[in-house]
């Protein structure tokens, strides 16, 4: 195997079991890393300005001991990703971690720690139940300050990405979808390969499949989880992330967007901050159903809207590119 490659070996059952999830805990861990690596992450400079202003310093000091700018951090800080995973789910899972698991994973942090950080984490590993209480309190405080104000927007970006990737897989196959995840991710028949900075491993997915988890706050990097009992997991950046991703809302008076797209399409794009089916779009925008379908088709062809079937209905919502257009028009108009 090539150096610095993590290779996920997929059997036929694994290819069929490729699935997507979201991870609030991973987004928080990425936020903590961002605060330590700000200069290399221009997509997030706008978010960083508000994050630094509202940062709970004591809570940050606790989790920064465990989440360095790169490398391993304890798996118990993030629960199993799923499409409907919530922050409350994450915190409940974190608080229920057995003390022996906490101690084991804290000792893994020690392998790459030194100096004051080593001594602080070592003390935590010696008293894992007490440490877990401090860690959970810090997790909750940092979530409320750093991610919760933007979680609605972040979650929509994540679900939009999943919809688009799922569409690619349905239309062009798993290989085409995987190849589009990240420049460091490649597909060979039966294998997903991820180029790492300083790590190589072969992972037999053993019928578990591979879990694919988009991320906003870790963009533009990707990362992996490979150690049992965690399901093999690949984290990758969402598509088309704008530097204005942290700002949400509708266009001010809408005039700039109406001049660009026309009144009907501007109205459709504006209401798709949240997902709506075709009937709702027509009703909310006071359009005939056939006119709503036409506008949605044009917006989808332009990459501004994505659509996915949900039971008998088709739901539509804005893509990151659509978000950027709405926000730019609001600011400029």
């Amino acid at each position: 195997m090539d150096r610095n490659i993590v290779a996920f070996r997929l059997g036929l059952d694994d290819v069929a079991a490729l699935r997507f999830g979201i991870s609030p805990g991973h987004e928080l861990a990425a936020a903590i890393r961002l605060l330590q690596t700000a200069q290399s992450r221009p997509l997030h400079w706008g978010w960083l300005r508000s994050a630094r202003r509202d940062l709970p310093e004591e809570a940050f000091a606790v989790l920064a001991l465990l989440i360095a700018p790169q490398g391993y951090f304890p798996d118990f800080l993030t629960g199993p990703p799923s499409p409907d995973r919530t922050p409350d789910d994450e915190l409940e899972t974190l608080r229920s971690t057995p003390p022996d698991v906490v101690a084991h994973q804290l000792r893994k942090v020690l392998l790459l720690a030194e100096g004051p950080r080593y001594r602080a984490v070592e003390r935590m590993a010696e008293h894992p139940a007490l440490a877990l209480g401090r860690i959970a309190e810090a997790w909750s405080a940092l979530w409320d300050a750093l991610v919760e104000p933007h979680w609605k927007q972040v979650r929509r970006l994540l679900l939009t990405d999943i919809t688009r990737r799922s569409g690619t897989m349905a239309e062009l196959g798993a290989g085409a979808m995987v190849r589009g995840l990240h420049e460091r991710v490649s597909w060979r028949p039966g294998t997903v390969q991820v180029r790492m900075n300083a790590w190589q491993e072969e992972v037999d997915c053993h019928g578990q499949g591979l879990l694919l988890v988009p991320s906003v706050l870790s963009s533009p990097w990707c990362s992996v989880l490979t150690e049992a009992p965690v399901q093999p997991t690949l984290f990758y950046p969402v598509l088309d992330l704008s530097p204005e991703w942290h700002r949400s809302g509708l266009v001010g008076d809408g005039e700039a967007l109406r001049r660009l797209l026309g009144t009907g399409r501007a109205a459709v794009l504006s209401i798709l901050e949240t997902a709506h089916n075709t009937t709702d779009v027509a009703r909310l925008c006071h359009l005939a159903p056939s006119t709503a379908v036409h506008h949605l088709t044009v917006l989808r062809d332009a990459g501004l809207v994505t659509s996915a079937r949900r039971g008998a209905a088709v739901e539509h919502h804005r893509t990151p590119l659509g978000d950027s257009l709405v926000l730019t028009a609001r600011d400029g108009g």
Side-chain angles (χ1 to χ4, degrees):
M1 184 176 66
D2 295 339
R3 294 185 60 189
N4 297 338
I5 293 289
V6 170
F8 294 99
R9 305 294 185 194
L10 306 174
L12 291 177
D13 291 343
D14 294 308
V15 174
L18 282 172
R19 65 183 182 87
F20 294 90
I22 65 174
S23 174
H26 181 78
E27 294 302 314
L28 179 58
I32 292 166
R33 285 199 156 145
L34 260 171
L35 286 158
Q36 301 174 72
T37 59
Q39 290 185 342
S40 63
R41 311 286 285 281
L43 280 174
H44 301 292
W45 285 347
W47 171 84
L48 279 160
R49 283 192 289 271
S50 63
R52 285 176 170 145
R53 182 183 64 243
D54 302 328
L55 182 65
E57 296 286 353
E58 186 174 341
F60 178 74
V62 172
L63 288 198
L65 289 171
L66 309 182
I67 303 173
Q70 59 183 358
Y72 172 82
F73 63 82
D75 294 338
F76 66 76
L77 293 176
T78 64
S82 68
D84 55 356
R85 187 78 175 170
T86 69
D88 288 341
D89 294 335
E90 295 280 35
L91 195 53
E92 181 179 351
T93 301
L94 170 61
R95 286 178 168 146
S96 65
T97 307
D100 61 325
V101 173
V102 174
H104 172 70
Q105 294 183 11
L106 290 176
R107 291 190 181 101
K108 289 178 65 176
V109 173
L110 293 176
L111 297 176
L112 296 175
E114 57 186 16
R117 181 181 179 226
Y118 184 98
R119 292 188 291 275
V121 176
E122 185 179 41
R123 288 192 295 271
M124 295 171 79
E126 291 170 353
H127 305 282
L130 181 62
L132 184 63
R134 289 181 60 208
I135 291 166
E137 289 179 8
W139 196 103
S140 180
L142 287 167
W143 175 270
D144 289 347
L146 302 179
V147 185
E148 176 61 32
H150 309 285
W151 179 238
K152 181 180 177 182
Q153 171 74 341
V154 169
R155 187 173 185 275
R156 186 159 57 82
L157 291 169
L158 299 175
L159 293 177
T160 296
D161 183 276
I162 289 172
T163 298
R164 295 175 67 183
R165 308 286 188 180
S166 298
T168 299
M169 185 160 59
E171 182 179 358
L172 301 175
M177 183 274 292
V178 168
R179 282 191 292 270
L181 292 176
H182 192 268
E183 62 182 9
R184 291 188 170 217
V185 178
S186 59
W187 168 271
R188 294 182 182 176
T191 306
V192 175
Q193 295 190 337
V194 186
R195 181 163 48 89
M196 310 297 290
N197 289 332
W199 178 16
Q200 64 186 57
E201 184 177 359
E202 288 196 25
V203 182
D204 189 335
C205 292
H206 293 296
Q208 299 178 81
L210 178 62
L211 184 57
L212 304 173
V213 182
S215 177
V216 169
L217 285 157
S218 65
S219 183
W221 312 121
C222 61
S223 59
V224 299
L225 292 177
T226 62
E227 184 175 346
V230 175
Q231 182 177 0
T233 303
L234 168 58
F235 298 94
Y236 65 88
V238 296
L239 285 163
D240 303 329
L241 190 65
S242 159
E244 300 299 315
W245 69 263
H246 61 293
R247 303 173 62 186
S248 62
L250 303 180
V251 181
D253 62 8
E255 181 58 32
L257 201 64
R258 287 193 291 271
R259 289 198 305 268
L260 178 65
L261 298 178
T263 300
R265 288 173 199 159
V268 170
L269 192 62
S270 293
I271 69 162
L272 292 179
E273 180 185 19
T274 55
H276 294 289
N277 63 36
T278 306
T279 300
D280 287 340
V281 170
R283 177 177 56 83
L284 292 168
C285 296
H286 307 289
L287 299 170
S290 59
T291 303
V293 169
H294 173 69
H295 288 329
L296 287 163
T297 300
V298 172
L299 293 169
R300 186 169 56 248
D301 289 346
L304 302 176
V305 165
T306 187
S307 304
R309 182 164 293 280
R310 297 286 184 268
V314 176
E315 288 191 346
H316 316 274
H317 49 98
R318 290 199 306 249
T319 65
L321 180 60
D323 289 335
S324 297
L325 180 60
V326 169
L327 292 166
T328 299
R330 181 191 67 188
D331 294 341

